[in-house]
Amino acid sequence: MPLTEDDLYRTSTQYKYWSFTSAQLATQRETTNLQATERVKANVARQRAARARSQVESANTSDAGSGVETGGNTPLHLGAEKEVNCLTVAEEKKLVDTFCERALELGSFLKFPIDVTATGIQFLRRFYLLNSPMTYEPQTISRTAMFLAGKLNNHNVGIEKYVAKFPKVTAEQVLAPEYLLVQGLRFHFQVRHPFHGLKGGHLEMMEMARGNAAPAPHCTETREELQKAMLALPKHARGNPQPWTVEQMEKRITQAYGFADKRILKGPAQLTDAYFLYTPSQIWLAAHLLADEPLTLFYLSTKAPPTSPLHEKLLATLRACAALLSAHHTYKPDTLSAAEKEARDKLEKEQVSALIRKLKHCRDPDKMDLVKLNAAQKRDAVRADGELEESVAKRRKVQREGFEKQADDFWGPELKKEANGTK
Amino acid sequence: MSKAASRVANGGAKGHAQDGGASPLSSNLRRLSLANPPPKPSAFADPSSDICPVCKSSRYLNPNMVFLVNPECYHKMCESCVERIFSHGPAPCPIAGCKRTLRRPKFRRQTFEDLKVEREVDIRRRVAKAFNKVEQDFETLRDFNDYLEVVEETTWNLILKIDVETTERRLRQFEEAQKAELNAVNPAAARRVNEPDPTVLSSTSHVVLKKGATQRKVASAVNTPDPFIEDTKTDNGFIFRGLKKPKPPPPKKVFDPFEGYGITPDYYVTQESYDVDWLTWFKDDKAHSAGGFGMKDFYDHMLCESFAGLGVFVGEEIEARENGASGDSAIGTQTAAMAAAGGAKDVDMDDVF
C-alpha cells in the first residue's frame, strides 16, 4: 500500500491530537477558563473559611494577635468576603501569547536553535490549551518547557548549567513541573515545524530556476518549460511579466526564503494559533506567499495544477493562514514609525503588567507551590522541614538492616578494617 | 561352558520349561498380570545374552562387553568380534548357517530387546519412507484406505518374508518413480530428499557390495537412456487409484520487510544533488560523509516535510472526524480528556492516570 506525504502527516500526533478548528479552539479555551475559575473560587473560599476558623480560635485563646497570621499567600487583606476577580478567556489568551513571546526571547537568550525554541513555545501553547495560567503560573512553566524542549530536540543542557543562567531559580523549581507538563502534553513530544519544509521548497525552487528540477509526478511540463515560465514571472502581484536572468531569480528566491524564515516562521507563526489550525507545509507556503506572491503561486501551480479542485481549495487555505500570520503585531515591524512603535510597546507593556498583577490575585492557592506538590507525590514524601516522617524513617531503617543481615548470611560479613591502618 | 552353549541352541524352549512346564498361553497370561510383575530383564537373567556366540567370551570375565547386531541378518556378536572379523572389509556372517555378507559400518547396538521387533521397526521405517502419502493426496477417503492397505500388505510381506524378491523390486521401482516425479515438479526439494540419509538404511546400498563392475554398470544405466530401464520406469511398482497429481509449490516471494507499504511522493521527485550556498559546507564536510550521512537522505527528508500535509485541510477533516466519532467518544486520549473536561470535574493533571 503506497503512502503519500499527506498520509504520513496524518499519522503524526500533531494531526491526531493537536489539530483543531477555530471553533473547537475557542470552546476549549472557554471550558478551561471556566473550570479554572470555579476551582480558584472554591479553593480560595475553602482557605478563607479555614483561616477564619483558626482566627476565631486564636482570638478565643489569646485576645491579642489580631490578623497576625494573615500573611498567607492568598489575598485577604481587603474585605475578607470579596469575590476573587478571575481572568477572562481573552485575558488568559493574551497572557499566554505574551509568555510565548517571552519564551522566544528566552530561547535566543539561552542560545537555543530556533527549532528547539519553537518546540518549547508550542509546548506552552498546547499546555495552556488544557490548563489555565491561573492554575499553573506561566513563567515557571515556560522555563520548564524550554528545558524539556532542549532535552527532546537533541540539544540537551544539563540542569545545573541551565539553572545557572537564571538568577534565583533552583533546579527543583525547573524540574518540579516537568512531569506535570509532560502529562499536559499527553506525552506527545514531537512537534512538526515548517522550517524543514521551507528549506526543501527553497532547494527545489533554486533548481527550478536553473532548469534542473525534476517536475513533480503529476506535472505535465518539462524542466525547461518550468524554467522558462519561472524566468518570466511578474515582480509583484498583479504586475506584468518581465524577463529575469537566472542569477536575478536565484537572488529573488533567496530573499523570499530569508523573509519567510526570519520574519514569519520565527515570529508570527510561533505566536499565533497557526500550528493548531494548519499543517506545517501550509504554514511555510503561506509565509512564502507573504514573502513573494507571484513566485509562490507559480511554485504551487507546478505542484497542483490550477485546473484541479485542490489548487483552489489550497489557495484559499493558504490565504487564510497568511492573513492570520500577517495580522500579528510582530509581522513587518518596520512599517511603523519609531514613535508609533514606542507608543504601542508602552501600551502593550502596561496591559501586560496589569494582567500579571491581576493574575497574582487570582492564582489557585492549591497549586501555588509546585515544588512542594511534586515532592509530596514522591515515595519519600518529605515534610516541610526536609526530614522524613519518623515512622517511615524507622521502617526504612528496619528494612535496610534486615536486607543487610540477609546479605551477610549469604556472602559473609564485611571484612574488618585493620585498626592500626596497615594497608 | 557346554551347558551355556546348549542354552543358546534352544533358548526359547528352555524359557518355557523354566516356567514350571505350564502351557505357553498360561505363562503369557501370567506375564501380563499386574499382580506379580515379570522379573526385571537384568543383564544376568538370561545367560544367553551374556556370552558372545562367536568367541564364547562371557560378560562375567569382561564386564564392558557390548553386543552389536547387523540389520542384514540380526545376529548378535560382541564388539571385539566385529572388530576382528570385519575390520578388513566385508565378510560373511560367522554364525553357522548364515552366509550373508556383512560390513562393519552397518553394525549397531540394538534398540529393542526383542530382535524381531528391531527388524520390524527397521522394515516399517523403510516402507514408510517410500510410501509417504497423506490423506490430502487422494481424491477420496476410500482411495486413501486402499492405499493404506497396500502399504500394510507390503510391510507384512517383508516382515514375514513372503514373496520378498518381488516386493523389494516393486518397492524400489516405486521409490524411483516417486523421486522422478518430485524432480520434475520441484528440483530444489528433490535434491534435498535425494541426499542419502545415513540414519535410514537404504534398500539399494546393500546390493552393491563390491565396488566395481556392478556399480559402474548401474551408473552407466542411469546416464545413458537404456530401452530396458525406460520400460521398467513406466512400471511404477504400485499403482494407486485416486492419487492427485503433485502440484508444484508456489514460487517464493521476494522478502518485503514493509509488506507492501512504501512512500510514493505525490508532489516531488528527489534529485541527486541540490546546489545552494548554505549546503556547500555540509556537502564538502568529510566528517559528515565519513559517518555515513547521505545528502540524499537529507533532501528526501526536507522535501517530504515540504509537502507532508499539504492536502490535509485541518478544519474540514477534524470536523468530519469529530462528527464521525461523536457516537462513541471514548476514542483517543484527546477525546477522553475532553470528556473528562466536559464533566463537572476539572482535568486534574496530577492524577490523570
Side-chain angles (χ1 to χ4, degrees), chain B residues 94-121:
Chain B
I95 306 286
C98 179
K99 290 278 175 273
R100 285 175 190 265
T101 314
L102 306 180
R103 324 184 96 200
R104 202 178 145 225
K106 291 280 169 191
F107 277 96
R108 58 165 205 233
R109 285 187 188 206
Q110 69 190 70
T111 315
F112 300 97
E113 199 179 13
D114 190 346
L115 282 170
K116 276 183 191 158
V117 175
E118 180 93 19
R119 179 166 167 270
E120 184 176 339
V121 167

Side-chain angles (χ1 to χ4, degrees), chain B residues 52-112:
Chain B
C52 172
V54 181
C55 63
K56 314 287 189 217
S57 65
S58 78
R59 193 191 290 280
Y60 183 74
L61 297 172
N62 179 13
N64 296 330
M65 199 158 74
V66 173
F67 286 97
L68 299 175
V69 293
N70 192 308
E72 194 60 39
C73 61
Y74 294 97
H75 283 131
K76 243 160 116 178
M77 57 192 87
C78 71
E79 205 175 21
S80 61
C81 286
V82 172
E83 200 73 22
R84 180 165 49 81
I85 299 169
F86 301 100
S87 57
H88 299 297
C93 179
I95 306 286
C98 179
K99 290 278 175 273
R100 285 175 190 265
T101 314
L102 306 180
R103 324 184 96 200
R104 202 178 145 225
K106 291 280 169 191
F107 277 96
R108 58 165 205 233
R109 285 187 188 206
Q110 69 190 70
T111 315
F112 300 97

Side-chain angles (χ1 to χ4, degrees), chain A residues 1 3 15 35 183 197 279 281 367, chain B residues 260 262 306 309 317 341 349-350:
Chain A
M1 194 176 118
L3 295 170
Y15 171 76
Q35 282 163 351
Q183 276 185 325
T279 65
S281 57
K367 306 284 181 188
Chain B
S306 290
E317 292 195 14
M349 296 308 304
D350 293 331

Side-chain angles (χ1 to χ4, degrees), chain B residues 5 47 56 94 154 194 254 262 292 347:
Chain B
K56 314 287 189 217
T154 315
N194 290 350
V254 181
V347 187

Side-chain angles (χ1 to χ4, degrees), chain A residues 51-122:
Chain A
R51 197 169 300 155
R53 242 195 336 271
S54 67
Q55 241 170 6
V56 168
E57 279 168 15
S58 63
N60 284 349
T61 48
S62 62
D63 292 335
S66 55
V68 177
E69 56 276 81
T70 50
N73 35 18
T74 33
L76 193 70
H77 326 294
L78 332 155
E81 294 312 309
K82 194 180 147 202
E83 187 70 4
V84 188
N85 189 10
C86 286
L87 295 177
T88 63
V89 180
E91 283 168 339
E92 266 187 3
K93 186 165 183 301
K94 171 105 185 150
L95 209 56
V96 173
D97 284 342
T98 313
F99 275 96
C100 285
E101 264 177 75
R102 290 191 183 179
L104 202 60
E105 286 162 24
L106 179 66
S108 59
F109 165 72
L110 293 167
K111 297 198 178 60
F112 275 4
I114 182 63
D115 49 340
V116 177
T117 315
T119 305
I121 293 170
Q122 290 311 314

